[in-house]
Amino acid sequence: MTHPRKSLDSVIHAPVRFSIAAALASVDEADFKTLREAIEITDPALSKQIALLEQAGYVKVRKAFVGKRSRTWLSLTSEGRDAFTRHLTALREIAGWDPAAK
């Protein structure tokens, strides 16, 4: 049997990126400010992590104006949702892993 840690996603595994993916997995879309407040992180730190997730194809970034203000909305792509689900499954398998059950 292969250890389930080999199924972990290295992009999502970082705590902040995992928090972002988890928050976005429960909604269709979230605005930047709401996400920032939910995971308790600074704007620059969130921007950096979002860029990494976007580069991996896991997050879609949509920008638009509301009145005169620019707003940013974020959502998980289908690839991002699949990666998050696989990663979460691997974590659950690790938590319940029995080394004696080879």
Coordinates of all heavy atoms in Angstrom, one line a residue:
M1 N 0.9 -1.2 0.0 CA 0.0 0.0 0.0 C 0.9 1.2 0.0 O 1.9 1.3 0.7 CB -0.9 0.0 1.2 CG -1.7 1.2 1.4 SD -2.8 1.1 2.8 CE -4.0 2.3 2.4
T2 N 0.6 2.2 -0.8 CA 1.3 3.5 -0.9 C 0.7 4.4 0.2 O -0.5 4.5 0.4 CB 1.1 4.1 -2.2 OG1 1.5 3.2 -3.2 CG2 1.8 5.4 -2.4
H3 N 1.6 5.1 0.9 CA 1.2 6.0 1.9 C 0.4 7.2 1.3 O 0.8 7.7 0.2 CB 2.4 6.6 2.7 CG 2.0 7.3 3.9 ND1 1.6 8.6 3.9 CD2 2.0 6.9 5.2 CE1 1.3 8.9 5.2 NE2 1.5 7.9 6.0
P4 N -0.7 7.6 1.9 CA -1.6 8.6 1.3 C -1.0 10.0 1.2 O -1.4 10.8 0.4 CB -2.8 8.6 2.3 CG -2.5 7.8 3.4 CD -1.3 6.9 3.1
R5 N 0.1 10.2 1.9 CA 0.8 11.5 1.8 C 1.2 11.8 0.3 O 1.4 12.9 -0.1 CB 1.9 11.7 2.7 CG 3.2 11.0 2.3 CD 4.4 11.3 3.2 NE 5.6 10.6 2.7 CZ 5.8 9.3 2.8 NH1 4.9 8.6 3.5 NH2 6.9 8.8 2.4
K6 N 1.4 10.7 -0.4 CA 1.9 10.9 -1.8 C 0.8 11.5 -2.7 O 1.0 11.9 -3.8 CB 2.4 9.6 -2.4 CG 3.6 9.1 -1.6 CD 4.1 7.8 -2.2 CE 5.4 7.4 -1.4 NZ 6.0 6.2 -1.8
S7 N -0.4 11.5 -2.2 CA -1.6 12.1 -2.9 C -1.8 13.6 -2.5 O -2.7 14.2 -3.1 CB -2.9 11.3 -2.6 OG -2.7 10.0 -3.1
L8 N -1.0 14.1 -1.6 CA -1.2 15.5 -1.2 C -0.8 16.4 -2.4 O 0.1 16.1 -3.1 CB -0.4 15.8 0.0 CG -0.8 15.2 1.3 CD1 0.2 15.5 2.4 CD2 -2.2 15.7 1.7
D9 N -1.5 17.5 -2.5 CA -1.2 18.5 -3.5 C -0.3 19.6 -3.0 O -0.6 20.3 -2.0 CB -2.5 19.1 -4.0 CG -2.3 20.0 -5.2 OD1 -1.6 21.1 -5.1 OD2 -2.9 19.7 -6.3
S10 N 0.9 19.7 -3.5 CA 1.9 20.6 -3.0 C 1.5 22.1 -3.1 O 1.9 22.9 -2.3 CB 3.3 20.4 -3.6 OG 3.2 20.7 -5.0
V11 N 0.7 22.4 -4.1 CA 0.2 23.8 -4.2 C -0.8 24.1 -3.1 O -0.7 25.2 -2.5 CB -0.4 24.0 -5.6 CG1 -1.1 25.4 -5.7 CG2 0.6 23.8 -6.7
I12 N -1.7 23.2 -2.9 CA -2.8 23.5 -1.9 C -2.3 23.2 -0.4 O -2.9 23.8 0.5 CB -4.0 22.6 -2.2 CG1 -4.7 23.1 -3.5 CG2 -5.1 22.7 -1.1 CD1 -5.8 22.3 -3.9
H13 N -1.3 22.5 -0.3 CA -0.9 22.0 1.1 C -0.5 23.1 2.0 O -0.7 23.0 3.2 CB 0.3 21.0 0.9 CG 0.6 20.3 2.2 ND1 -0.3 19.5 2.9 CD2 1.7 20.3 3.0 CE1 0.2 19.0 4.0 NE2 1.4 19.5 4.1
A14 N 0.1 24.2 1.5 CA 0.5 25.4 2.4 C -0.7 25.8 3.1 O -1.8 26.0 2.6 CB 1.1 26.5 1.5
P15 N -0.6 26.1 4.4 CA -1.8 26.5 5.2 C -2.6 27.6 4.7 O -3.9 27.5 4.7 CB -1.2 26.8 6.6 CG 0.1 26.1 6.6 CD 0.6 26.0 5.2
V16 N -2.0 28.7 4.2 CA -2.9 29.8 3.7 C -3.6 29.4 2.4 O -4.8 29.7 2.3 CB -2.0 31.1 3.5 CG1 -2.8 32.2 2.8 CG2 -1.5 31.6 4.8
R17 N -2.9 28.7 1.5 CA -3.5 28.3 0.3 C -4.6 27.3 0.6 O -5.7 27.3 -0.1 CB -2.5 27.8 -0.7 CG -1.6 28.9 -1.2 CD -0.7 28.5 -2.4 NE 0.2 27.5 -2.1 CZ 1.5 27.7 -1.7 NH1 1.9 28.9 -1.5 NH2 2.3 26.7 -1.5
F18 N -4.4 26.4 1.5 CA -5.4 25.4 1.9 C -6.6 26.2 2.5 O -7.8 25.8 2.1 CB -4.9 24.5 3.0 CG -5.9 23.4 3.4 CD1 -6.1 22.3 2.6 CD2 -6.6 23.6 4.6 CE1 -7.0 21.4 3.0 CE2 -7.5 22.6 5.0 CZ -7.7 21.5 4.2
S19 N -6.4 27.2 3.3 CA -7.5 28.0 3.8 C -8.3 28.7 2.7 O -9.5 28.8 2.8 CB -7.0 29.0 4.8 OG -6.4 28.4 5.9
I20 N -7.6 29.2 1.7 CA -8.2 29.9 0.6 C -9.1 28.9 -0.2 O -10.3 29.2 -0.5 CB -7.2 30.5 -0.3 CG1 -6.5 31.7 0.3 CG2 -7.8 31.0 -1.7 CD1 -5.2 32.2 -0.4
A21 N -8.5 27.7 -0.5 CA -9.2 26.7 -1.3 C -10.5 26.3 -0.5 O -11.5 26.1 -1.0 CB -8.3 25.5 -1.6
A22 N -10.3 26.1 0.8 CA -11.4 25.6 1.7 C -12.5 26.7 1.7 O -13.7 26.3 1.6 CB -11.0 25.3 3.1
A23 N -12.2 27.9 1.8 CA -13.2 29.0 1.8 C -13.9 29.1 0.5 O -15.1 29.2 0.4 CB -12.5 30.3 2.2
L24 N -13.2 29.0 -0.6 CA -13.8 29.1 -1.9 C -14.5 27.8 -2.3 O -15.4 27.9 -3.2 CB -12.7 29.4 -3.0 CG -12.0 30.8 -2.9 CD1 -10.9 30.9 -3.9 CD2 -13.1 31.9 -3.0
A25 N -14.2 26.7 -1.7 CA -14.9 25.4 -2.1 C -16.4 25.5 -1.6 O -17.2 24.8 -2.2 CB -14.2 24.3 -1.4
S26 N -16.7 26.3 -0.6 CA -18.0 26.3 -0.1 C -18.9 27.4 -0.8 O -20.1 27.5 -0.4 CB -18.0 26.6 1.4 OG -17.4 27.8 1.7
V27 N -18.4 28.1 -1.7 CA -19.1 29.2 -2.4 C -18.9 29.2 -3.9 O -17.9 28.6 -4.3 CB -18.8 30.6 -1.8 CG1 -19.2 30.7 -0.4 CG2 -17.3 30.9 -2.1
D28 N -19.7 29.8 -4.7 CA -19.5 29.9 -6.1 C -18.4 30.9 -6.4 O -17.5 30.8 -7.2 CB -20.7 30.3 -6.8 CG -21.8 29.2 -6.9 OD1 -21.4 28.0 -6.8 OD2 -23.0 29.5 -7.0
E29 N -18.4 32.0 -5.6 CA -17.5 33.1 -5.7 C -17.4 33.9 -4.5 O -18.4 34.0 -3.7 CB -18.0 34.0 -6.9 CG -17.1 35.1 -7.4 CD -17.7 35.8 -8.6 OE1 -18.8 36.3 -8.5 OE2 -17.0 35.7 -9.7
A30 N -16.3 34.5 -4.2 CA -16.1 35.4 -3.0 C -15.3 36.6 -3.4 O -14.4 36.5 -4.2 CB -15.4 34.6 -1.9
D31 N -15.7 37.8 -2.8 CA -14.9 38.9 -3.1 C -13.6 38.9 -2.2 O -13.5 38.3 -1.2 CB -15.7 40.2 -2.9 CG -16.0 40.5 -1.5 OD1 -17.1 40.0 -1.0 OD2 -15.3 41.2 -0.8
F32 N -12.6 39.6 -2.7 CA -11.3 39.7 -2.1 C -11.4 40.0 -0.6 O -10.8 39.4 0.3 CB -10.4 40.6 -2.9 CG -9.0 40.6 -2.4 CD1 -8.0 39.8 -3.0 CD2 -8.5 41.4 -1.4 CE1 -6.7 39.8 -2.6 CE2 -7.2 41.5 -1.0 CZ -6.3 40.6 -1.6
K33 N -12.1 41.1 -0.3 CA -12.2 41.6 1.1 C -12.8 40.6 2.0 O -12.3 40.3 3.1 CB -13.0 42.9 1.1 CG -13.2 43.5 2.5 CD -14.0 44.7 2.5 CE -14.3 45.2 3.9 NZ -15.2 46.3 3.9
T34 N -13.9 39.9 1.6 CA -14.5 38.9 2.4 C -13.6 37.7 2.6 O -13.5 37.3 3.8 CB -15.8 38.4 1.7 OG1 -16.7 39.5 1.5 CG2 -16.5 37.4 2.5
L35 N -12.9 37.3 1.6 CA -12.0 36.2 1.8 C -10.8 36.6 2.7 O -10.4 35.8 3.6 CB -11.4 35.8 0.4 CG -10.5 34.6 0.4 CD1 -11.2 33.3 0.9 CD2 -10.0 34.3 -1.0
R36 N -10.3 37.8 2.5 CA -9.2 38.3 3.4 C -9.6 38.3 4.8 O -8.9 37.8 5.7 CB -8.8 39.7 3.0 CG -7.7 40.3 3.8 CD -7.5 41.8 3.7 NE -8.7 42.4 4.3 CZ -9.3 43.5 3.9 NH1 -8.9 44.1 2.8 NH2 -10.3 44.0 4.6
E37 N -10.8 38.8 5.1 CA -11.3 38.8 6.5 C -11.6 37.4 7.0 O -11.3 37.1 8.2 CB -12.6 39.7 6.6 CG -12.2 41.2 6.4 CD -13.5 42.0 6.2 OE1 -14.6 41.5 6.3 OE2 -13.3 43.3 6.1
A38 N -12.1 36.5 6.2 CA -12.4 35.2 6.6 C -11.2 34.4 7.0 O -11.2 33.6 8.0 CB -13.2 34.4 5.5
I39 N -10.1 34.6 6.3 CA -8.9 33.8 6.6 C -7.8 34.6 7.4 O -6.8 34.1 7.7 CB -8.3 33.1 5.4 CG1 -7.8 34.1 4.4 CG2 -9.2 32.1 4.7 CD1 -7.0 33.5 3.3
E40 N -8.2 35.8 7.7 CA -7.4 36.7 8.6 C -5.9 36.8 8.1 O -5.0 36.3 8.7 CB -7.4 36.1 10.0 CG -8.8 36.1 10.6 CD -8.9 35.4 12.0 OE1 -7.9 34.8 12.4 OE2 -9.9 35.5 12.6
I41 N -5.8 37.5 6.9 CA -4.5 37.6 6.3 C -4.4 39.0 5.7 O -5.5 39.7 5.5 CB -4.3 36.5 5.2 CG1 -2.9 36.5 4.7 CG2 -5.3 36.7 4.1 CD1 -2.6 35.3 3.8
T42 N -3.3 39.5 5.5 CA -3.1 40.9 4.9 C -3.4 40.8 3.4 O -3.3 39.8 2.8 CB -1.7 41.4 5.1 OG1 -0.8 40.6 4.4 CG2 -1.3 41.5 6.6
D43 N -3.7 42.0 2.8 CA -3.9 42.1 1.4 C -2.7 41.6 0.6 O -2.9 40.8 -0.3 CB -4.2 43.6 1.0 CG -5.6 44.0 1.4 OD1 -6.3 43.2 1.9 OD2 -5.9 45.2 1.1
P44 N -1.5 42.0 0.9 CA -0.3 41.6 0.1 C -0.1 40.1 0.2 O 0.2 39.4 -0.8 CB 0.9 42.3 0.6 CG 0.3 43.5 1.3 CD -1.0 43.1 1.8
A45 N -0.3 39.5 1.4 CA -0.1 38.1 1.5 C -1.1 37.3 0.8 O -0.8 36.3 0.1 CB -0.1 37.7 3.0
L46 N -2.4 37.8 0.8 CA -3.5 37.1 0.1 C -3.2 37.2 -1.4 O -3.4 36.2 -2.1 CB -4.8 37.7 0.5 CG -6.0 37.1 -0.2 CD1 -6.1 35.6 0.0 CD2 -7.3 37.7 0.2
S47 N -2.8 38.4 -1.9 CA -2.5 38.5 -3.3 C -1.5 37.6 -3.8 O -1.6 37.0 -4.9 CB -2.1 40.0 -3.6 OG -3.1 40.9 -3.4
K48 N -0.4 37.4 -3.0 CA 0.6 36.5 -3.4 C 0.2 35.1 -3.5 O 0.5 34.3 -4.4 CB 1.8 36.6 -2.4 CG 2.9 35.7 -2.7 CD 4.0 35.8 -1.7 CE 5.2 34.9 -2.0 NZ 6.3 34.9 -1.0
Q49 N -0.6 34.6 -2.5 CA -1.1 33.2 -2.5 C -2.1 33.0 -3.6 O -2.2 31.9 -4.2 CB -1.7 32.9 -1.1 CG -0.7 33.0 0.0 CD 0.6 32.2 -0.2 OE1 0.5 31.1 -0.7 NE2 1.7 32.8 0.1
I50 N -3.0 34.0 -3.9 CA -4.0 33.9 -5.0 C -3.2 33.8 -6.3 O -3.6 33.0 -7.1 CB -4.9 35.1 -5.0 CG1 -5.8 35.1 -3.8 CG2 -5.7 35.2 -6.3 CD1 -6.8 34.0 -3.8
A51 N -2.1 34.5 -6.5 CA -1.4 34.5 -7.7 C -0.8 33.1 -7.9 O -0.8 32.5 -9.1 CB -0.2 35.5 -7.7
L52 N -0.3 32.4 -6.9 CA 0.2 31.1 -7.0 C -0.9 30.1 -7.3 O -0.7 29.2 -8.2 CB 0.9 30.6 -5.7 CG 2.2 31.4 -5.4 CD1 2.6 31.1 -3.9 CD2 3.3 31.0 -6.4
L53 N -2.1 30.2 -6.7 CA -3.2 29.4 -7.0 C -3.7 29.6 -8.4 O -4.1 28.7 -9.1 CB -4.3 29.6 -6.0 CG -4.0 29.0 -4.6 CD1 -5.0 29.6 -3.6 CD2 -4.1 27.5 -4.6
E54 N -3.7 30.8 -8.9 CA -4.2 31.2 -10.2 C -3.2 30.6 -11.3 O -3.6 30.0 -12.3 CB -4.3 32.7 -10.4 CG -4.8 33.1 -11.7 CD -5.0 34.6 -11.9 OE1 -4.2 35.4 -11.2 OE2 -5.8 35.1 -12.7
Q55 N -1.9 30.7 -11.0 CA -0.9 30.2 -11.9 C -1.0 28.7 -12.0 O -0.8 28.1 -13.1 CB 0.5 30.5 -11.3 CG 1.6 30.2 -12.2 CD 3.0 30.7 -11.7 OE1 3.2 30.5 -10.5 NE2 3.8 31.2 -12.5
A56 N -1.4 28.0 -11.0 CA -1.6 26.5 -11.0 C -2.9 26.2 -11.7 O -3.2 25.0 -12.0 CB -1.6 26.0 -9.6
G57 N -3.8 27.2 -12.0 CA -5.0 26.9 -12.6 C -6.1 26.5 -11.7 O -7.2 26.0 -12.1
Y58 N -5.9 26.8 -10.4 CA -6.9 26.4 -9.4 C -7.9 27.5 -9.0 O -9.0 27.2 -8.5 CB -6.2 26.0 -8.1 CG -5.4 24.7 -8.2 CD1 -4.6 24.3 -7.2 CD2 -5.5 23.9 -9.3 CE1 -3.9 23.1 -7.2 CE2 -4.7 22.7 -9.4 CZ -4.0 22.3 -8.4 OH -3.3 21.1 -8.4
V59 N -7.5 28.8 -9.3 CA -8.4 29.9 -8.9 C -8.6 30.8 -10.1 O -7.6 31.0 -10.9 CB -7.8 30.7 -7.7 CG1 -8.5 32.0 -7.5 CG2 -7.8 29.9 -6.4
K60 N -9.8 31.3 -10.3 CA -10.1 32.2 -11.3 C -10.3 33.6 -10.6 O -11.0 33.7 -9.6 CB -11.4 31.8 -12.1 CG -11.8 32.8 -13.1 CD -13.1 32.4 -13.7 CE -13.6 33.5 -14.7 NZ -14.9 33.3 -15.2
V61 N -9.7 34.6 -11.2 CA -9.8 36.0 -10.7 C -10.6 36.8 -11.6 O -10.3 36.8 -12.8 CB -8.4 36.6 -10.5 CG1 -8.5 38.0 -10.0 CG2 -7.6 35.8 -9.5
R62 N -11.6 37.5 -11.1 CA -12.5 38.3 -12.0 C -12.4 39.7 -11.3 O -12.7 39.9 -10.2 CB -13.9 37.8 -12.0 CG -14.8 38.6 -12.8 CD -16.2 37.9 -13.0 NE -16.9 37.9 -11.7 CZ -17.7 38.9 -11.3 NH1 -17.9 40.0 -12.0 NH2 -18.4 38.7 -10.2
K63 N -12.1 40.7 -12.2 CA -12.1 42.1 -11.7 C -13.1 42.9 -12.4 O -13.3 42.7 -13.6 CB -10.7 42.7 -11.9 CG -9.6 42.0 -11.1 CD -8.3 42.7 -11.3 CE -7.3 41.9 -10.5 NZ -6.7 42.6 -9.4
A64 N -13.8 43.8 -11.7 CA -14.8 44.7 -12.3 C -14.9 45.9 -11.4 O -14.4 46.0 -10.3 CB -16.1 44.0 -12.4
F65 N -15.6 46.9 -11.9 CA -15.8 48.1 -11.2 C -17.2 48.1 -10.6 O -18.2 47.7 -11.2 CB -15.7 49.4 -12.0 CG -14.2 49.8 -12.2 CD1 -13.5 49.3 -13.3 CD2 -13.6 50.6 -11.3 CE1 -12.2 49.6 -13.4 CE2 -12.3 51.0 -11.5 CZ -11.6 50.4 -12.5
V66 N -17.3 48.5 -9.3 CA -18.6 48.7 -8.7 C -18.6 50.2 -8.3 O -17.9 50.6 -7.5 CB -18.8 47.8 -7.4 CG1 -20.1 48.2 -6.7 CG2 -18.7 46.4 -7.8
G67 N -19.4 50.9 -9.1 CA -19.3 52.4 -9.0 C -17.9 52.8 -9.5 O -17.5 52.4 -10.6
K68 N -17.2 53.5 -8.7 CA -15.9 54.0 -9.1 C -14.8 53.1 -8.5 O -13.6 53.4 -8.7 CB -15.7 55.4 -8.7 CG -16.5 56.4 -9.5 CD -16.2 57.8 -9.1 CE -17.1 58.7 -9.9 NZ -16.8 60.1 -9.6
R69 N -15.2 52.1 -7.8 CA -14.2 51.2 -7.1 C -14.0 49.9 -7.8 O -14.9 49.3 -8.3 CB -14.6 51.0 -5.7 CG -14.6 52.2 -4.8 CD -14.9 51.8 -3.4 NE -14.7 52.9 -2.5 CZ -13.7 53.1 -1.7 NH1 -12.9 52.1 -1.5 NH2 -13.6 54.1 -0.9
S70 N -12.7 49.5 -7.9 CA -12.4 48.2 -8.5 C -12.6 47.2 -7.4 O -12.3 47.3 -6.3 CB -10.9 48.2 -8.9 OG -10.5 46.9 -9.4
R71 N -13.2 46.1 -7.9 CA -13.4 44.9 -7.0 C -12.9 43.7 -7.6 O -12.9 43.5 -8.8 CB -14.9 44.8 -6.6 CG -15.4 46.0 -5.8 CD -16.4 45.8 -4.7 NE -16.6 44.5 -4.2 CZ -17.8 44.1 -3.8 NH1 -18.9 44.8 -3.9 NH2 -17.9 42.9 -3.2
T72 N -12.5 42.8 -6.8 CA -11.9 41.5 -7.2 C -12.8 40.3 -6.6 O -13.0 40.3 -5.4 CB -10.5 41.3 -6.8 OG1 -9.7 42.4 -7.3 CG2 -9.9 40.1 -7.3
W73 N -13.2 39.4 -7.5 CA -13.9 38.2 -7.1 C -13.1 37.0 -7.4 O -12.4 37.0 -8.4 CB -15.3 38.1 -7.8 CG -16.3 39.1 -7.3 CD1 -17.1 39.0 -6.2 CD2 -16.5 40.4 -7.8 NE1 -17.9 40.1 -6.1 CE2 -17.5 41.0 -7.1 CE3 -16.0 41.1 -8.9 CZ2 -18.0 42.3 -7.3 CZ3 -16.5 42.4 -9.2 CH2 -17.5 43.0 -8.4
L74 N -13.1 36.0 -6.6 CA -12.3 34.8 -6.7 C -13.2 33.6 -6.7 O -14.2 33.6 -5.9 CB -11.3 34.7 -5.5 CG -10.5 36.0 -5.4 CD1 -9.9 36.1 -4.0 CD2 -9.4 36.1 -6.4
S75 N -12.9 32.6 -7.4 CA -13.6 31.3 -7.4 C -12.6 30.2 -7.7 O -11.6 30.4 -8.4 CB -14.7 31.4 -8.4 OG -14.2 31.6 -9.7
L76 N -13.0 29.0 -7.3 CA -12.2 27.8 -7.6 C -12.6 27.4 -9.0 O -13.8 27.4 -9.4 CB -12.4 26.7 -6.7 CG -11.7 26.7 -5.3 CD1 -12.1 25.4 -4.5 CD2 -10.2 26.8 -5.5
T77 N -11.6 27.0 -9.8 CA -11.9 26.4 -11.1 C -12.3 25.0 -10.9 O -12.2 24.5 -9.8 CB -10.7 26.5 -12.0 OG1 -9.6 25.7 -11.4 CG2 -10.2 27.9 -12.3
S78 N -12.8 24.3 -11.9 CA -13.2 22.9 -11.7 C -11.9 22.1 -11.4 O -11.9 21.2 -10.6 CB -13.9 22.3 -13.0 OG -13.0 22.5 -14.1
E79 N -10.8 22.5 -12.0 CA -9.5 21.8 -11.6 C -9.1 22.1 -10.2 O -8.6 21.2 -9.5 CB -8.4 22.4 -12.6 CG -7.1 21.7 -12.4 CD -6.0 22.2 -13.3 OE1 -6.3 23.0 -14.2 OE2 -4.8 21.8 -13.1
G80 N -9.4 23.3 -9.7 CA -9.1 23.6 -8.3 C -10.0 22.8 -7.3 O -9.5 22.4 -6.3
R81 N -11.3 22.7 -7.7 CA -12.2 21.9 -6.9 C -11.7 20.5 -6.8 O -11.8 19.9 -5.7 CB -13.6 22.1 -7.4 CG -14.2 23.4 -7.1 CD -15.7 23.4 -7.4 NE -16.2 24.8 -7.2 CZ -16.5 25.3 -6.1 NH1 -16.4 24.6 -5.0 NH2 -16.9 26.6 -6.0
D82 N -11.4 19.9 -7.9 CA -10.9 18.5 -8.0 C -9.6 18.4 -7.1 O -9.5 17.4 -6.4 CB -10.6 18.1 -9.4 CG -11.9 17.9 -10.2 OD1 -13.0 17.9 -9.6 OD2 -11.8 17.9 -11.5
A83 N -8.7 19.3 -7.3 CA -7.4 19.2 -6.5 C -7.7 19.3 -5.0 O -7.1 18.6 -4.2 CB -6.5 20.3 -7.0
F84 N -8.6 20.2 -4.6 CA -8.9 20.4 -3.2 C -9.6 19.1 -2.7 O -9.2 18.6 -1.6 CB -9.9 21.6 -3.0 CG -10.3 21.8 -1.6 CD1 -9.4 22.2 -0.6 CD2 -11.6 21.5 -1.2 CE1 -9.7 22.4 0.7 CE2 -11.9 21.7 0.2 CZ -11.0 22.1 1.1
T85 N -10.5 18.5 -3.4 CA -11.2 17.3 -3.0 C -10.2 16.2 -2.8 O -10.2 15.4 -1.8 CB -12.3 16.9 -4.0 OG1 -13.2 18.0 -4.1 CG2 -12.9 15.6 -3.6
R86 N -9.2 16.0 -3.8 CA -8.2 15.0 -3.7 C -7.3 15.2 -2.5 O -7.0 14.3 -1.8 CB -7.4 14.9 -5.0 CG -8.0 14.3 -6.2 CD -7.0 14.0 -7.3 NE -6.3 15.2 -7.7 CZ -6.7 16.1 -8.6 NH1 -7.9 16.0 -9.2 NH2 -5.9 17.1 -8.9
H87 N -6.9 16.4 -2.3 CA -6.1 16.8 -1.1 C -6.8 16.5 0.2 O -6.2 15.9 1.1 CB -5.7 18.3 -1.2 CG -4.6 18.7 -0.2 ND1 -3.3 18.4 -0.4 CD2 -4.8 19.3 1.0 CE1 -2.6 18.9 0.7 NE2 -3.5 19.4 1.5
L88 N -8.0 16.9 0.3 CA -8.8 16.6 1.5 C -9.0 15.1 1.7 O -8.8 14.6 2.9 CB -10.1 17.3 1.4 CG -10.9 17.6 2.7 CD1 -10.1 18.3 3.7 CD2 -12.2 18.4 2.3
T89 N -9.2 14.4 0.7 CA -9.3 12.9 0.8 C -8.0 12.3 1.3 O -8.0 11.5 2.2 CB -9.7 12.3 -0.6 OG1 -11.0 12.8 -1.0 CG2 -9.7 10.8 -0.5
A90 N -6.9 12.8 0.8 CA -5.6 12.3 1.3 C -5.3 12.6 2.7 O -4.9 11.8 3.5 CB -4.4 12.9 0.4
L91 N -5.7 13.8 3.2 CA -5.6 14.2 4.6 C -6.4 13.3 5.5 O -6.0 12.8 6.5 CB -6.0 15.7 4.8 CG -5.0 16.7 4.3 CD1 -5.7 18.1 4.4 CD2 -3.7 16.7 5.0
R92 N -7.6 13.0 5.0 CA -8.5 12.1 5.8 C -7.9 10.7 5.9 O -8.0 10.0 6.9 CB -9.9 12.1 5.2 CG -10.7 13.3 5.4 CD -12.1 13.3 4.9 NE -12.8 14.5 5.2 CZ -13.5 15.2 4.3 NH1 -13.5 14.8 3.0 NH2 -14.1 16.3 4.6
E93 N -7.3 10.3 4.7 CA -6.7 8.9 4.7 C -5.5 8.9 5.7 O -5.3 7.9 6.4 CB -6.3 8.5 3.3 CG -7.5 8.2 2.4 CD -7.1 8.0 1.0 OE1 -5.9 8.0 0.7 OE2 -8.0 7.8 0.2
I94 N -4.7 10.0 5.7 CA -3.6 10.0 6.6 C -4.0 10.0 8.0 O -3.4 9.3 8.8 CB -2.7 11.3 6.3 CG1 -2.0 11.2 4.9 CG2 -1.7 11.5 7.4 CD1 -1.4 12.5 4.4
A95 N -5.1 10.7 8.3 CA -5.6 10.8 9.7 C -6.1 9.4 10.2 O -6.0 9.1 11.3 CB -6.7 11.8 9.8
G96 N -6.6 8.6 9.2 CA -7.1 7.3 9.6 C -6.2 6.2 9.2 O -6.6 5.0 9.3
W97 N -5.0 6.5 8.8 CA -4.1 5.5 8.2 C -3.6 4.5 9.3 O -3.2 4.9 10.4 CB -2.8 6.1 7.6 CG -2.0 5.2 6.8 CD1 -2.3 4.5 5.8 CD2 -0.6 4.9 7.1 NE1 -1.3 3.8 5.3 CE2 -0.2 4.0 6.1 CE3 0.3 5.4 8.0 CZ2 1.1 3.5 6.0 CZ3 1.6 4.9 8.0 CH2 2.0 4.0 7.0
D98 N -3.7 3.2 9.0 CA -3.3 2.2 9.9 C -2.1 1.5 9.2 O -2.2 0.7 8.3 CB -4.4 1.2 10.1 CG -4.1 0.0 11.0 OD1 -2.9 0.0 11.6 OD2 -4.9 -0.8 11.2
P99 N -0.9 1.7 9.8 CA 0.3 1.1 9.2 C 0.3 -0.5 9.2 O 1.0 -1.1 8.4 CB 1.5 1.6 10.0 CG 0.9 2.2 11.2 CD -0.6 2.5 10.9
A100 N -0.5 -1.0 10.1 CA -0.5 -2.5 10.2 C -1.4 -3.1 9.1 O -1.3 -4.3 8.8 CB -1.1 -2.9 11.6
A101 N -2.2 -2.3 8.5 CA -3.1 -2.8 7.4 C -2.5 -2.7 6.1 O -3.0 -2.0 5.2 CB -4.5 -2.0 7.5
K102 N -1.4 -3.3 5.9 CA -0.7 -3.3 4.6 C -1.3 -4.2 3.6 O -1.6 -5.0 3.2 CB 0.8 -3.7 4.8 CG 1.5 -2.6 5.5 CD 3.0 -3.0 5.6 CE 3.8 -1.8 6.2 NZ 5.2 -2.1 6.3

